[in-house]
Amino acid sequence: MPRYEEDWRRRFTEWDVDEEDDQPRPAVVKPDPAPAEETHEPRPIQVVLDESGAVRDVVIPENWRETTSPRELGPALLDAANRALGNVVAAQVEAFDLGSAPEQPVVARRDAPDAGGDPTSPIAEALVNEALDLFSRYDRDLEAYAAQVRQAATATSRGAGGNGRIVVTMTGGRITGVEADPRWAVTARYTEVRVEALSAFRAAGRGSAATRSIALPASITRLQELASDPEALSRQLGLSR
């Protein structure tokens, strides 16, 4: 094969390498992806209770209408109160120590006079007569006290907020209903809703506490007082010195 033909074939059969292809190419810098938009999920309405179950605060998020319609404001407050009460009860059950001894009730005692070991002394006779009178009244007073306790357990109290827009109902010390004016809730600021709800819860709580504060009858209290100190009782009856 002639020389010129061989050169011609080699020219068109070999790859033509460009000098620039041997140079390192700069890395392609991809732009950072656009940051995802932060999503602020609306927080739920919350009711905060203290250890005794009394309402301490109400949390109303600024965007509460995104999850709760104005018409559902009352039921949402009731549901939040029930959830909070469940958390309080669960915490108390968890913290309860079965091995701890129950606290003994503290009974105020009067200074017991001493009969000087004489059961026939006026001091001993006066105490015997008093005890007989207390026992004669015990059953009647206990029955009346039990009736008051039963009535308090089913008593209903209602408390309204400062503007009367939210009303809370409590039965037997438990929150059983919350009503809110839906027309007012449409335009009320979240701070106004908080103040109105908190004042309604507290007003209902005060009314419920008034119906539940029932004192023991005087006869039962006195018998507890006498039985709380057996040594003093024995000296007063003249059975010991």
Side-chain angles (χ1 to χ4, degrees):
M1 178 182 297
R3 177 78 177 184
Y4 68 88
E5 185 176 350
E6 182 180 354
D7 293 340
W8 181 85
R9 288 179 178 276
R10 184 181 299 111
R11 180 179 179 183
F12 287 97
T13 56
E14 293 181 355
W15 289 100
D16 186 11
V17 180
D18 192 349
E19 293 182 358
E20 294 182 358
D21 291 342
D22 294 335
Q23 301 298 324
R25 297 182 179 180
V28 177
V29 179
K30 297 182 179 180
D32 293 333
E37 295 183 0
E38 295 184 2
T39 58
H40 298 281
E41 295 185 0
R43 295 179 300 162
I45 293 174
Q46 299 179 49
V47 174
V48 182
L49 307 181
D50 60 19
E51 294 180 354
S52 67
V55 176
R56 187 179 65 188
D57 197 5
V58 178
V59 179
I60 305 294
E62 185 174 358
N63 57 346
W64 67 271
R65 294 185 185 88
E66 294 183 9
T67 58
T68 306
S69 68
R71 190 173 297 277
E72 294 298 320
L73 176 59
L77 287 167
L78 176 61
D79 182 63
N82 288 333
R83 289 199 312 269
L85 180 60
N87 293 336
V88 169
V89 173
Q92 291 176 347
V93 170
E94 184 177 356
F96 182 73
D97 185 6
L98 293 175
S100 61
E103 296 183 1
Q104 297 296 327
V106 178
V107 180
R109 296 189 297 272
R110 297 182 299 183
D111 292 335
D114 193 336
D118 183 6
T120 62
S121 69
I123 293 176
E125 290 182 356
L127 180 58
V128 170
N129 292 333
E130 180 187 8
L132 291 175
D133 178 64
L134 293 173
F135 282 118
S136 68
R137 291 187 287 142
Y138 180 84
D139 290 339
R140 182 179 67 253
D141 291 349
L142 181 60
E143 183 178 352
Y145 176 73
Q148 291 177 332
V149 171
R150 287 193 297 268
Q151 182 179 1
T154 58
T156 298
S157 64
R158 290 168 63 86
N163 295 319
R165 302 295 188 176
I166 296 179
V167 179
V168 175
T169 302
M170 297 186 70
T171 302
R174 188 171 63 88
I175 300 171
T176 54
V178 180
E179 304 168 35
D181 183 353
R183 292 175 296 180
W184 166 80
V186 169
T187 57
R189 295 190 297 270
Y190 72 100
T191 52
E192 294 175 325
V193 176
R194 173 190 173 273
V195 172
E196 184 74 3
L198 182 57
S199 61
F201 277 118
R202 288 179 172 174
R206 288 191 296 270
S208 177
T211 61
R212 288 183 287 119
S213 56
I214 303 173
L216 278 172
S219 59
I220 298 177
T221 302
R222 175 58 175 154
L223 287 171
Q224 286 182 333
E225 179 184 348
L226 293 172
S228 63
D229 192 341
E231 293 183 1
L233 178 62
S234 178
R235 291 194 302 270
Q236 195 172 359
L237 290 172
L239 303 177
S240 62
R241 292 180 179 272

